[in-house]
Amino acid sequence: MPTTTTTGPVTPDIAGLQVDPGLLARGEEQVALAGMARDVLSGSAGQGWAELAALGLVGLLIPEEAGGSGGDARDLAVVMEAAGATLSDAPLLSGAFAVAVLAGLPDAADLLPGIADGSLRATLALPQHSSVTLEGDRVTGSAGPVLDPDADLVLLVATDTAGTPVLVCCAGDADGITRTGLTVLDPTRPLVRLDLTDVPARILAREADLDPALAIGSIALAAESVGITDHALRETVAYVTGRQQFGRPIGSFQAVKHRLADLLVELEAARSAVALAAACAVGAPELLPVTAAAAQLTAGNAAALAVKEYVQLHGGIGFTWEHPAHRYVRRVRASAGLFGSAHEIRLQIADLLGLPGGNSHVR
């Protein structure tokens, strides 16, 4: 990953986009990975992080020589889609953000083997939620909400005395850190606020460009949304096929058919957007920022529609605590609040396209 800041938006050549079709389709290994991930994550409640690491689900983006799987964004998308479908509570998303940042930093190479084998859990305090200063090798400030309150290692962007953004890391249990658990909408994804007072920090990179890593994180989030949408559609189709009303399945009514057909269209659009963004991460990095943002927007909108239909088309049972639909609603709404609203992502895309009045500071 480059360690210098970008000089400004560069209009991506969407019209001239050419991506190897082989990067868009899932190969046999990815089909197998998807099946394994779904089986494992569907029973991940209480499953140890080390077990997930041993199966290669944690170090997907870490090179093989560092103990990882040597995969790429396409493999990450496969696993995150399974995580969304099963509503896994494993902190894979926060880990994906952290690994995407660290994997491109030569000075952080010693951290990767521990992350790959599960002995070190890392998270990234998103820059838009942090206000941290660096003096010498100490950081002070606050960050939050931060994913994965139990992470061993926290990555932060701090501002030094010259006003330069510096990527640092500090131990999650270091002296001077106060963790405050936050009230969350989605209890399967806990959040914490970190208050730091003169905390020892290790400098990883100065003027680090985190945009490529954040784009990978956006792909991971979008893939999770695709998994949620796929689950909601499958469960709803199964329900309306069996549920009878006036002597016939409610899925035979035109209004229900149209709503689920529309949802299928949204799902396939989102899945295609994620596949394109992941392919660009591998073969067309100049288009990664805009395709990743588009994937996050498309998949987020699809998931929002999916969970609404999931609840409503299940009728009364869909509104009960006993039915799992509300858990998916919580995940979708919590993610939208944490990683940016649809409006904010549209502004980001406009900025990446070079349109006037965009907002380059959405992240």
Side-chain angles (χ1 to χ4, degrees):
M1 185 177 69
T3 57
T4 57
T5 53
T6 55
T7 56
V10 176
T11 303
D13 183 15
I14 295 293
L17 174 64
Q18 292 185 356
V19 176
D20 180 357
L23 296 176
L24 294 169
R26 286 186 180 180
E28 292 183 3
E29 290 186 359
Q30 287 168 337
V31 171
L33 176 62
M36 184 271 284
R38 196 178 185 105
D39 291 343
V40 171
L41 294 174
S42 61
S44 66
Q47 186 166 13
W49 187 245
E51 285 78 4
L52 296 179
L55 292 169
L57 300 182
V58 175
L60 285 169
L61 301 182
I62 296 176
E64 291 182 1
E65 56 270 26
S69 301
D72 55 41
R74 297 171 301 159
D75 303 305
L76 176 64
V78 165
V79 172
M80 290 307 302
E81 182 175 333
T86 58
L87 210 66
S88 170
D89 60 359
L92 290 168
L93 182 62
S94 56
F97 270 104
V99 169
V101 170
L102 294 173
L105 297 177
D107 290 343
D110 61 302
L111 299 173
L112 297 179
I115 295 175
D117 67 21
S119 60
L120 182 65
R121 221 161 86 184
T123 189
L124 170 69
L126 294 174
Q128 67 267 38
H129 299 317
S130 303
S131 177
V132 180
T133 58
L134 172 68
E135 290 191 32
D137 61 353
R138 303 270 173 167
V139 289
T140 297
S142 62
V146 177
L147 294 165
D148 192 6
D150 297 323
D152 306 298
L153 190 71
V154 181
L155 308 181
L156 297 155
V157 176
T159 304
D160 68 8
T161 53
T164 303
V166 182
L167 178 66
V168 303
C169 68
C170 55
D173 59 354
D175 291 339
I177 291 184
T178 301
R179 306 189 200 195
T180 304
L182 301 178
T183 301
V184 294
L185 179 64
D186 176 14
T188 64
R189 181 165 281 168
L191 300 171
V192 66
R193 172 188 169 88
L194 302 177
D195 292 297
L196 308 97
T197 304
D198 202 28
V199 176
R202 171 181 167 182
I203 296 175
L204 297 175
R206 294 186 180 276
E207 299 188 64
D209 177 14
L210 297 187
D211 284 352
L214 294 175
I216 297 295
S218 294
I219 294 173
L221 177 64
E224 181 184 85
S225 298
V226 168
I228 290 172
T229 304
D230 182 81
H231 167 86
L233 178 60
R234 288 175 185 273
E235 291 297 309
T236 306
V237 167
Y239 180 77
V240 302
T241 302
R243 175 68 171 168
Q244 299 280 321
Q245 189 69 278
F246 306 114
R248 51 191 285 201
I250 60 175
S252 65
F253 296 115
Q254 187 179 56
V256 175
K257 287 181 179 178
H258 283 193
R259 288 168 69 170
L260 292 177
D262 287 343
L263 183 53
L264 176 62
V265 172
E266 294 292 327
L267 170 60
E268 291 306 317
R271 182 169 276 141
S272 298
V274 171
L276 176 60
C280 287
V282 177
E286 70 279 9
L287 294 174
L288 174 60
V290 71
T291 54
Q296 184 180 347
L297 178 63
T298 307
N301 287 342
L305 174 64
V307 295
K308 184 184 76 171
E309 300 291 28
Y310 192 11
V311 171
Q312 292 188 355
L313 292 179
H314 273 74
I317 193 174
F319 290 83
T320 64
W321 291 114
E322 290 77 13
H323 196 276
H326 71 92
R327 298 173 57 217
Y328 287 84
V329 174
R330 289 165 182 264
R331 174 65 65 87
V332 170
R333 292 190 177 179
S335 295
L338 185 61
F339 297 102
S341 67
H343 172 70
E344 292 171 327
I345 299 171
R346 286 189 178 97
L347 287 178
Q348 180 186 341
I349 293 172
D351 186 53
L352 291 167
L353 291 174
L355 298 173
N359 185 350
S360 61
H361 304 293
V362 171
R363 290 187 188 277

mmCIF file of all heavy atoms in Angstrom, residues 279-317:
data_model
loop_
_atom_site.group_PDB
_atom_site.id
_atom_site.type_symbol
_atom_site.label_atom_id
_atom_site.label_comp_id
_atom_site.label_asym_id
_atom_site.label_seq_id
_atom_site.Cartn_x
_atom_site.Cartn_y
_atom_site.Cartn_z
ATOM 1 N N ALA A 279 -13.102 -7.360 -7.966
ATOM 2 C CA ALA A 279 -12.253 -7.579 -9.144
ATOM 3 C C ALA A 279 -11.351 -6.375 -9.378
ATOM 4 O O ALA A 279 -10.179 -6.524 -9.740
ATOM 5 C CB ALA A 279 -13.121 -7.847 -10.374
ATOM 6 N N CYS A 280 -11.873 -5.165 -9.169
ATOM 7 C CA CYS A 280 -11.058 -3.968 -9.336
ATOM 8 C C CYS A 280 -9.946 -3.912 -8.283
ATOM 9 O O CYS A 280 -8.853 -3.404 -8.556
ATOM 10 C CB CYS A 280 -11.930 -2.717 -9.247
ATOM 11 S SG CYS A 280 -12.968 -2.448 -10.712
ATOM 12 N N ALA A 281 -10.222 -4.406 -7.088
ATOM 13 C CA ALA A 281 -9.182 -4.443 -6.060
ATOM 14 C C ALA A 281 -8.004 -5.283 -6.511
ATOM 15 O O ALA A 281 -6.858 -5.048 -6.115
ATOM 16 C CB ALA A 281 -9.759 -5.007 -4.758
ATOM 17 N N VAL A 282 -8.270 -6.261 -7.371
ATOM 18 C CA VAL A 282 -7.219 -7.160 -7.848
ATOM 19 C C VAL A 282 -6.617 -6.670 -9.163
ATOM 20 O O VAL A 282 -5.393 -6.658 -9.323
ATOM 21 C CB VAL A 282 -7.792 -8.586 -8.043
ATOM 22 C CG1 VAL A 282 -6.721 -9.520 -8.604
ATOM 23 C CG2 VAL A 282 -8.346 -9.116 -6.731
ATOM 24 N N GLY A 283 -7.482 -6.238 -10.081
ATOM 25 C CA GLY A 283 -6.989 -5.966 -11.426
ATOM 26 C C GLY A 283 -7.130 -4.556 -11.941
ATOM 27 O O GLY A 283 -6.609 -4.253 -13.020
ATOM 28 N N ALA A 284 -7.816 -3.678 -11.216
ATOM 29 C CA ALA A 284 -7.980 -2.291 -11.680
ATOM 30 C C ALA A 284 -8.036 -1.358 -10.469
ATOM 31 O O ALA A 284 -9.066 -0.743 -10.190
ATOM 32 C CB ALA A 284 -9.253 -2.155 -12.526
ATOM 33 N N PRO A 285 -6.927 -1.240 -9.737
ATOM 34 C CA PRO A 285 -6.947 -0.485 -8.468
ATOM 35 C C PRO A 285 -7.343 0.975 -8.636
ATOM 36 O O PRO A 285 -7.828 1.582 -7.683
ATOM 37 C CB PRO A 285 -5.506 -0.626 -7.954
ATOM 38 C CG PRO A 285 -4.693 -1.024 -9.143
ATOM 39 C CD PRO A 285 -5.595 -1.806 -10.030
ATOM 40 N N GLU A 286 -7.160 1.550 -9.822
ATOM 41 C CA GLU A 286 -7.533 2.951 -10.014
ATOM 42 C C GLU A 286 -9.049 3.142 -9.923
ATOM 43 O O GLU A 286 -9.526 4.260 -9.686
ATOM 44 C CB GLU A 286 -7.008 3.459 -11.370
ATOM 45 C CG GLU A 286 -7.694 2.886 -12.598
ATOM 46 C CD GLU A 286 -7.176 1.508 -12.998
ATOM 47 O OE1 GLU A 286 -6.393 0.925 -12.219
ATOM 48 O OE2 GLU A 286 -7.547 1.025 -14.085
ATOM 49 N N LEU A 287 -9.797 2.064 -10.110
ATOM 50 C CA LEU A 287 -11.256 2.146 -10.027
ATOM 51 C C LEU A 287 -11.796 1.626 -8.693
ATOM 52 O O LEU A 287 -13.001 1.603 -8.480
ATOM 53 C CB LEU A 287 -11.896 1.355 -11.176
ATOM 54 C CG LEU A 287 -11.644 1.909 -12.572
ATOM 55 C CD1 LEU A 287 -12.192 0.969 -13.624
ATOM 56 C CD2 LEU A 287 -12.275 3.285 -12.717
ATOM 57 N N LEU A 288 -10.877 1.198 -7.825
ATOM 58 C CA LEU A 288 -11.325 0.618 -6.556
ATOM 59 C C LEU A 288 -12.152 1.580 -5.709
ATOM 60 O O LEU A 288 -13.220 1.198 -5.217
ATOM 61 C CB LEU A 288 -10.118 0.101 -5.769
ATOM 62 C CG LEU A 288 -10.401 -0.406 -4.356
ATOM 63 C CD1 LEU A 288 -11.392 -1.563 -4.379
ATOM 64 C CD2 LEU A 288 -9.091 -0.830 -3.679
ATOM 65 N N PRO A 289 -11.721 2.832 -5.504
ATOM 66 C CA PRO A 289 -12.507 3.702 -4.610
ATOM 67 C C PRO A 289 -13.956 3.868 -5.056
ATOM 68 O O PRO A 289 -14.882 3.747 -4.246
ATOM 69 C CB PRO A 289 -11.736 5.023 -4.663
ATOM 70 C CG PRO A 289 -10.343 4.639 -5.006
ATOM 71 C CD PRO A 289 -10.479 3.488 -5.958
ATOM 72 N N VAL A 290 -14.179 4.157 -6.341
ATOM 73 C CA VAL A 290 -15.550 4.434 -6.781
ATOM 74 C C VAL A 290 -16.379 3.152 -6.850
ATOM 75 O O VAL A 290 -17.570 3.149 -6.482
ATOM 76 C CB VAL A 290 -15.544 5.182 -8.136
ATOM 77 C CG1 VAL A 290 -15.102 4.279 -9.274
ATOM 78 C CG2 VAL A 290 -16.932 5.746 -8.427
ATOM 79 N N THR A 291 -15.791 2.037 -7.259
ATOM 80 C CA THR A 291 -16.571 0.799 -7.329
ATOM 81 C C THR A 291 -16.868 0.261 -5.932
ATOM 82 O O THR A 291 -17.934 -0.330 -5.706
ATOM 83 C CB THR A 291 -15.844 -0.262 -8.168
ATOM 84 O OG1 THR A 291 -14.516 -0.466 -7.668
ATOM 85 C CG2 THR A 291 -15.774 0.147 -9.621
ATOM 86 N N ALA A 292 -15.944 0.461 -4.997
ATOM 87 C CA ALA A 292 -16.197 0.007 -3.617
ATOM 88 C C ALA A 292 -17.323 0.826 -2.988
ATOM 89 O O ALA A 292 -18.196 0.276 -2.303
ATOM 90 C CB ALA A 292 -14.920 0.115 -2.785
ATOM 91 N N ALA A 293 -17.289 2.140 -3.210
ATOM 92 C CA ALA A 293 -18.368 2.979 -2.672
ATOM 93 C C ALA A 293 -19.703 2.619 -3.316
ATOM 94 O O ALA A 293 -20.740 2.556 -2.637
ATOM 95 C CB ALA A 293 -18.035 4.450 -2.901
ATOM 96 N N ALA A 294 -19.682 2.380 -4.623
ATOM 97 C CA ALA A 294 -20.925 2.004 -5.308
ATOM 98 C C ALA A 294 -21.452 0.672 -4.789
ATOM 99 O O ALA A 294 -22.670 0.484 -4.624
ATOM 100 C CB ALA A 294 -20.681 1.926 -6.814
ATOM 101 N N ALA A 295 -20.546 -0.249 -4.512
ATOM 102 C CA ALA A 295 -20.968 -1.549 -3.960
ATOM 103 C C ALA A 295 -21.584 -1.376 -2.579
ATOM 104 O O ALA A 295 -22.617 -1.991 -2.265
ATOM 105 C CB ALA A 295 -19.766 -2.493 -3.901
ATOM 106 N N GLN A 296 -20.953 -0.534 -1.753
ATOM 107 C CA GLN A 296 -21.495 -0.318 -0.404
ATOM 108 C C GLN A 296 -22.890 0.297 -0.484
ATOM 109 O O GLN A 296 -23.805 -0.090 0.266
ATOM 110 C CB GLN A 296 -20.565 0.587 0.397
ATOM 111 C CG GLN A 296 -21.015 0.776 1.854
ATOM 112 C CD GLN A 296 -20.074 1.674 2.637
ATOM 113 O OE1 GLN A 296 -18.963 1.970 2.199
ATOM 114 N NE2 GLN A 296 -20.517 2.110 3.802
ATOM 115 N N LEU A 297 -23.064 1.256 -1.393
ATOM 116 C CA LEU A 297 -24.373 1.908 -1.534
ATOM 117 C C LEU A 297 -25.422 0.931 -2.064
ATOM 118 O O LEU A 297 -26.523 0.816 -1.508
ATOM 119 C CB LEU A 297 -24.241 3.100 -2.481
ATOM 120 C CG LEU A 297 -25.531 3.866 -2.786
ATOM 121 C CD1 LEU A 297 -26.090 4.504 -1.523
ATOM 122 C CD2 LEU A 297 -25.277 4.933 -3.857
ATOM 123 N N THR A 298 -25.073 0.228 -3.125
ATOM 124 C CA THR A 298 -26.030 -0.694 -3.749
ATOM 125 C C THR A 298 -26.421 -1.814 -2.790
ATOM 126 O O THR A 298 -27.608 -2.153 -2.641
ATOM 127 C CB THR A 298 -25.417 -1.297 -5.025
ATOM 128 O OG1 THR A 298 -24.957 -0.245 -5.873
ATOM 129 C CG2 THR A 298 -26.429 -2.131 -5.776
ATOM 130 N N ALA A 299 -25.418 -2.395 -2.152
ATOM 131 C CA ALA A 299 -25.701 -3.510 -1.246
ATOM 132 C C ALA A 299 -26.425 -3.047 0.011
ATOM 133 O O ALA A 299 -27.290 -3.758 0.534
ATOM 134 C CB ALA A 299 -24.394 -4.218 -0.880
ATOM 135 N N GLY A 300 -26.075 -1.861 0.492
ATOM 136 C CA GLY A 300 -26.763 -1.343 1.673
ATOM 137 C C GLY A 300 -28.234 -1.086 1.405
ATOM 138 O O GLY A 300 -29.104 -1.398 2.234
ATOM 139 N N ASN A 301 -28.526 -0.516 0.242
ATOM 140 C CA ASN A 301 -29.927 -0.272 -0.119
ATOM 141 C C ASN A 301 -30.689 -1.592 -0.279
ATOM 142 O O ASN A 301 -31.853 -1.705 0.132
ATOM 143 C CB ASN A 301 -29.998 0.520 -1.427
ATOM 144 C CG ASN A 301 -29.590 1.973 -1.243
ATOM 145 O OD1 ASN A 301 -29.565 2.486 -0.119
ATOM 146 N ND2 ASN A 301 -29.251 2.640 -2.328
ATOM 147 N N ALA A 302 -30.043 -2.571 -0.897
ATOM 148 C CA ALA A 302 -30.691 -3.871 -1.073
ATOM 149 C C ALA A 302 -31.002 -4.517 0.271
ATOM 150 O O ALA A 302 -32.090 -5.077 0.478
ATOM 151 C CB ALA A 302 -29.797 -4.788 -1.910
ATOM 152 N N ALA A 303 -30.035 -4.438 1.189
ATOM 153 C CA ALA A 303 -30.246 -5.047 2.506
ATOM 154 C C ALA A 303 -31.362 -4.337 3.275
ATOM 155 O O ALA A 303 -32.153 -4.981 3.986
ATOM 156 C CB ALA A 303 -28.941 -5.020 3.303
ATOM 157 N N ALA A 304 -31.423 -3.013 3.143
ATOM 158 C CA ALA A 304 -32.492 -2.264 3.833
ATOM 159 C C ALA A 304 -33.863 -2.695 3.325
ATOM 160 O O ALA A 304 -34.816 -2.875 4.108
ATOM 161 C CB ALA A 304 -32.284 -0.763 3.625
ATOM 162 N N LEU A 305 -33.980 -2.863 2.006
ATOM 163 C CA LEU A 305 -35.251 -3.340 1.449
ATOM 164 C C LEU A 305 -35.524 -4.782 1.877
ATOM 165 O O LEU A 305 -36.658 -5.147 2.218
ATOM 166 C CB LEU A 305 -35.204 -3.251 -0.083
ATOM 167 C CG LEU A 305 -36.397 -3.844 -0.827
ATOM 168 C CD1 LEU A 305 -37.682 -3.074 -0.488
ATOM 169 C CD2 LEU A 305 -36.166 -3.831 -2.356
ATOM 170 N N ALA A 306 -34.472 -5.607 1.880
ATOM 171 C CA ALA A 306 -34.642 -7.028 2.186
ATOM 172 C C ALA A 306 -35.178 -7.258 3.594
ATOM 173 O O ALA A 306 -36.096 -8.061 3.792
ATOM 174 C CB ALA A 306 -33.309 -7.756 2.002
ATOM 175 N N VAL A 307 -34.600 -6.552 4.565
ATOM 176 C CA VAL A 307 -35.049 -6.800 5.942
ATOM 177 C C VAL A 307 -36.454 -6.242 6.161
ATOM 178 O O VAL A 307 -37.215 -6.770 6.990
ATOM 179 C CB VAL A 307 -34.050 -6.232 6.969
ATOM 180 C CG1 VAL A 307 -32.729 -6.972 6.878
ATOM 181 C CG2 VAL A 307 -33.838 -4.728 6.790
ATOM 182 N N LYS A 308 -36.812 -5.196 5.427
ATOM 183 C CA LYS A 308 -38.183 -4.685 5.534
ATOM 184 C C LYS A 308 -39.175 -5.727 5.016
ATOM 185 O O LYS A 308 -40.181 -6.028 5.682
ATOM 186 C CB LYS A 308 -38.321 -3.386 4.736
ATOM 187 C CG LYS A 308 -39.693 -2.729 4.882
ATOM 188 C CD LYS A 308 -39.833 -1.506 4.005
ATOM 189 C CE LYS A 308 -40.055 -1.890 2.559
ATOM 190 N NZ LYS A 308 -40.417 -0.737 1.699
ATOM 191 N N GLU A 309 -38.858 -6.292 3.847
ATOM 192 C CA GLU A 309 -39.749 -7.318 3.293
ATOM 193 C C GLU A 309 -39.721 -8.581 4.142
ATOM 194 O O GLU A 309 -40.735 -9.283 4.271
ATOM 195 C CB GLU A 309 -39.326 -7.642 1.850
ATOM 196 C CG GLU A 309 -39.369 -6.466 0.897
ATOM 197 C CD GLU A 309 -40.785 -5.983 0.597
ATOM 198 O OE1 GLU A 309 -41.692 -6.148 1.433
ATOM 199 O OE2 GLU A 309 -40.982 -5.413 -0.495
ATOM 200 N N TYR A 310 -38.564 -8.875 4.715
ATOM 201 C CA TYR A 310 -38.411 -10.056 5.588
ATOM 202 C C TYR A 310 -39.420 -9.984 6.730
ATOM 203 O O TYR A 310 -40.116 -10.965 7.038
ATOM 204 C CB TYR A 310 -36.980 -10.057 6.118
ATOM 205 C CG TYR A 310 -36.501 -11.308 6.813
ATOM 206 C CD1 TYR A 310 -37.210 -12.505 6.790
ATOM 207 C CD2 TYR A 310 -35.280 -11.297 7.503
ATOM 208 C CE1 TYR A 310 -36.728 -13.644 7.422
ATOM 209 C CE2 TYR A 310 -34.792 -12.432 8.134
ATOM 210 C CZ TYR A 310 -35.520 -13.591 8.097
ATOM 211 O OH TYR A 310 -35.039 -14.715 8.727
ATOM 212 N N VAL A 311 -39.504 -8.823 7.341
ATOM 213 C CA VAL A 311 -40.429 -8.649 8.472
ATOM 214 C C VAL A 311 -41.874 -8.605 7.984
ATOM 215 O O VAL A 311 -42.748 -9.345 8.464
ATOM 216 C CB VAL A 311 -40.082 -7.358 9.245
ATOM 217 C CG1 VAL A 311 -41.171 -7.048 10.275
ATOM 218 C CG2 VAL A 311 -38.730 -7.489 9.928
ATOM 219 N N GLN A 312 -42.155 -7.764 6.997
ATOM 220 C CA GLN A 312 -43.547 -7.519 6.608
ATOM 221 C C GLN A 312 -44.206 -8.742 5.969
ATOM 222 O O GLN A 312 -45.378 -9.040 6.229
ATOM 223 C CB GLN A 312 -43.620 -6.327 5.659
ATOM 224 C CG GLN A 312 -43.278 -5.011 6.348
ATOM 225 C CD GLN A 312 -43.530 -3.806 5.451
ATOM 226 O OE1 GLN A 312 -43.870 -3.937 4.280
ATOM 227 N NE2 GLN A 312 -43.349 -2.623 6.006
ATOM 228 N N LEU A 313 -43.490 -9.459 5.123
ATOM 229 C CA LEU A 313 -44.110 -10.593 4.432
ATOM 230 C C LEU A 313 -44.201 -11.833 5.309
ATOM 231 O O LEU A 313 -44.830 -12.815 4.911
ATOM 232 C CB LEU A 313 -43.351 -10.895 3.133
ATOM 233 C CG LEU A 313 -43.481 -9.801 2.061
ATOM 234 C CD1 LEU A 313 -42.682 -10.162 0.816
ATOM 235 C CD2 LEU A 313 -44.943 -9.561 1.697
ATOM 236 N N HIS A 314 -43.600 -11.785 6.474
ATOM 237 C CA HIS A 314 -43.823 -12.862 7.446
ATOM 238 C C HIS A 314 -45.055 -12.578 8.312
ATOM 239 O O HIS A 314 -45.370 -13.374 9.202
ATOM 240 C CB HIS A 314 -42.593 -13.061 8.335
ATOM 241 C CG HIS A 314 -41.571 -13.997 7.755
ATOM 242 N ND1 HIS A 314 -40.749 -13.659 6.711
ATOM 243 C CD2 HIS A 314 -41.248 -15.285 8.059
ATOM 244 C CE1 HIS A 314 -39.953 -14.670 6.402
ATOM 245 N NE2 HIS A 314 -40.245 -15.678 7.193
ATOM 246 N N GLY A 315 -45.696 -11.448 8.067
ATOM 247 C CA GLY A 315 -46.907 -11.149 8.828
ATOM 248 C C GLY A 315 -46.608 -10.956 10.305
ATOM 249 O O GLY A 315 -45.533 -10.483 10.675
ATOM 250 N N GLY A 316 -47.534 -11.354 11.147
ATOM 251 C CA GLY A 316 -47.411 -11.117 12.581
ATOM 252 C C GLY A 316 -46.180 -11.755 13.193
ATOM 253 O O GLY A 316 -45.519 -11.161 14.055
ATOM 254 N N ILE A 317 -45.823 -12.960 12.730
ATOM 255 C CA ILE A 317 -44.681 -13.640 13.347
ATOM 256 C C ILE A 317 -43.382 -12.901 13.078
ATOM 257 O O ILE A 317 -42.429 -12.974 13.857
ATOM 258 C CB ILE A 317 -44.584 -15.106 12.826
ATOM 259 C CG1 ILE A 317 -43.614 -15.891 13.692
ATOM 260 C CG2 ILE A 317 -44.167 -15.145 11.359
ATOM 261 C CD1 ILE A 317 -43.571 -17.376 13.341
#
